[in-house]
Amino acid sequence: MRTEILKLDPERPDRGAIELAARIIRDGGLVAFPTETVYGLGADAINEAAVGRIFEVKGRPPDNPLIVHISRPEMLELIASRVDQRARLLMSHFWPGPLTLVLERKPGVAQMASAGLNTIAVRMPKNAVALELIEASRTPIAAPSANTSGRPSPTSPEHVACDLGGKIELILDSGTTTIGIESTVLDVTADPPAILRPGWITREMLAELIGPVEMAASAEKLRRSPGTRYRHYSPRARLVLIEAPASGSIDSVCGRMLERGPIGFIGHTRPRIEDPRLLSIILPDSPEDYARSIYAALRELDQRQPAAIVVEGINDAGHGAAVMDRLRRAASEIINAAQEN
Ligand code: TXA
Ligand code: MG
């Protein structure tokens, strides 16, 4: 299959291109599209065969449910059966935006998207291309991140093409995404509501609006959100995460990894090692910059097939918590240098 790529203005996407993409969705095809977090791989959420193809092309385990994207709150009625006051309050504050709500599913619809669970994950993305595509398709769109299962999520159309080129009908290209990591997943069928995946909307932001919110404990999380069980976001190379660097720890870890061969480094402290086999990507020490650049940096270094990629962590608070969650799940080895010393 030839994958068509259409370039779009992120603010004012061309009507003709959106119509073409919507027709593909309505005909049961697959369209990758930008959101404010990462690129999604979309299909008509109500069309079981189309959603089945998402699992196929991503190589996604069939028990890992998908997020359904809507363009207006009223669309919820097509897929969710009970939406309480608390959920409505969250929607009015955070939608459109990077918050996914797990709600009770309307029986008989979107069974494939929900992987057979009686709940359904829904969000309204804050991105003109995504919203116009959903509107024009006149159906909710099921969309996981548009990467091969297990690989870092795509923040640019090039990442999508690299993983899924030749396997899907169309990629809508509006450049790189703004946030860079996936939405917060909040289970509002639980009391108190539970965060199944941390993201840009932090626990503090949610609690300020609706009161107590818990982080789902790992066993619970496994039961409720099958996706969290799988290894995620990983480059092919061994990822070594330095959680809390102590003085000299970056140099010593890089030195140790260089014994295995060429390595990559991502962090905000430049290693003092002079070695042409060390390729560094230096980012500002902020969760915003890490989130926006981390997946692209992992993909870029991975292309050079290094023996390892060493990543320097950031402060695990606020938005940093979501970044560190992704890094921990991608890591083969986690070093807490502050504790070791
Ligand atoms: O920002 C995002 O959320 C991106 C963009 C494209 O919207 N999408 C995304 O989808 O990250 P995906 O499929 O890569 O991650 C969906 C997560 C998985 O951890 C999955 O297990 C969880 O949401 N999930 C989906 N439906 C669920 C449900 N009914 N109950 C619990 N967890 C669910
Ligand atoms: Mg994903």
Side-chain angles (χ1 to χ4, degrees):
M1 172 183 297
R2 208 183 77 84
T3 299
E4 193 171 348
I5 301 179
L6 287 178
K7 252 195 171 19
L8 289 180
D9 181 328
E11 310 297 335
R12 291 155 184 264
D14 175 70
R15 286 293 329 154
I18 293 289
E19 268 310 321
L20 178 83
R23 205 167 319 126
I24 293 173
I25 295 284
R26 286 198 299 271
D27 288 346
L30 302 186
V31 176
F33 62 95
T35 78
E36 77 280 39
T37 57
V38 301
Y39 272 75
L41 175 60
D44 177 356
I46 310 296
N47 180 334
E48 299 289 297
V51 176
R53 259 191 75 209
I54 291 183
F55 285 87
E56 213 174 285
V57 304
K58 272 185 65 96
R60 183 173 178 109
D63 62 350
N64 189 2
L66 310 178
I67 295 171
V68 176
H69 297 67
I70 60 175
S71 51
R72 279 174 287 122
E74 308 88 82
M75 273 179 129
L76 265 183
E77 285 155 33
L78 298 169
I79 41 177
S81 68
R82 210 168 53 84
V83 184
D84 64 15
Q85 271 315 104
R86 199 161 48 190
R88 300 236 173 248
L89 191 59
L90 289 162
M91 286 157 44
S92 67
H93 265 75
F94 294 111
W95 282 6
L99 176 66
T100 295
L101 298 177
V102 173
L103 300 160
E104 276 177 32
R105 179 168 60 87
K106 190 168 172 178
V109 292
Q111 302 184 88
M112 198 75 190
S114 66
L117 298 174
N118 53 18
T119 54
I120 187 97
V122 189
R123 89 176 186 99
M124 182 159 126
K126 191 174 183 166
N127 179 287
V129 175
L131 291 171
E132 292 195 17
L133 172 64
I134 302 163
E135 273 297 298
S137 303
R138 299 191 297 271
T139 185
I141 295 185
S145 48
N147 52 292
T148 300
S149 203
R151 304 222 55 220
S153 293
T155 53
S156 78
E158 291 76 26
H159 300 158
V160 180
C162 176
D163 282 16
L164 303 176
K167 297 180 177 173
I168 63 177
E169 279 82 358
L170 176 66
I171 300 172
L172 292 178
D173 166 359
S174 68
T176 55
T177 61
T178 47
I179 294 179
I181 56 170
E182 307 83 349
S183 63
T184 305
V185 179
L186 182 72
D187 183 354
V188 284
T189 67
D191 198 22
I195 294 177
L196 303 179
R197 179 177 71 184
W200 212 242
I201 307 294
T202 64
R203 182 185 186 171
E204 295 74 26
M205 290 159 77
L206 296 167
E208 200 177 308
L209 187 68
I210 57 163
V213 169
E214 62 178 28
M215 298 296 296
S218 15
E220 260 285 88
K221 199 149 95 176
L222 270 181
R223 191 176 58 73
R224 286 199 233 152
S225 188
T228 53
R229 161 180 352 132
Y230 303 102
R231 187 146 180 260
H232 263 95
Y233 318 115
S234 299
R236 295 194 182 86
R238 178 182 179 77
L239 194 156
V240 180
L241 173 63
I242 307 178
E243 274 206 342
S247 138
S249 60
I250 288 170
D251 294 329
S252 70
V253 173
C254 287
R256 176 156 64 80
M257 290 300 145
L258 276 166
E259 287 166 17
R260 301 167 178 234
I263 66 165
F265 172 80
I266 303 168
H268 51 88
T269 311
R270 189 174 287 284
R272 278 166 303 188
I273 296 174
E274 294 282 338
D275 189 321
R277 296 172 311 143
L278 166 64
L279 190 73
S280 298
I281 296 179
I282 305 300
L283 304 174
D285 181 9
S286 83
E288 288 75 17
D289 287 289
Y290 261 64
R292 205 175 304 124
S293 307
I294 195 73
Y295 289 141
L298 288 172
R299 281 178 178 263
E300 185 185 330
L301 293 176
D302 214 25
Q303 274 178 0
R304 296 161 193 264
Q305 300 180 297
I309 300 175
V310 178
V311 181
E312 177 185 14
I314 52 170
N315 188 3
D316 192 3
H319 291 147
V323 173
M324 289 304 285
D325 166 76
R326 305 304 187 274
L327 287 173
R328 288 192 187 106
R329 289 206 264 155
S332 305
E333 185 183 343
I334 297 178
I335 297 171
N336 191 321
Q339 255 166 36
E340 274 170 17
N341 288 344

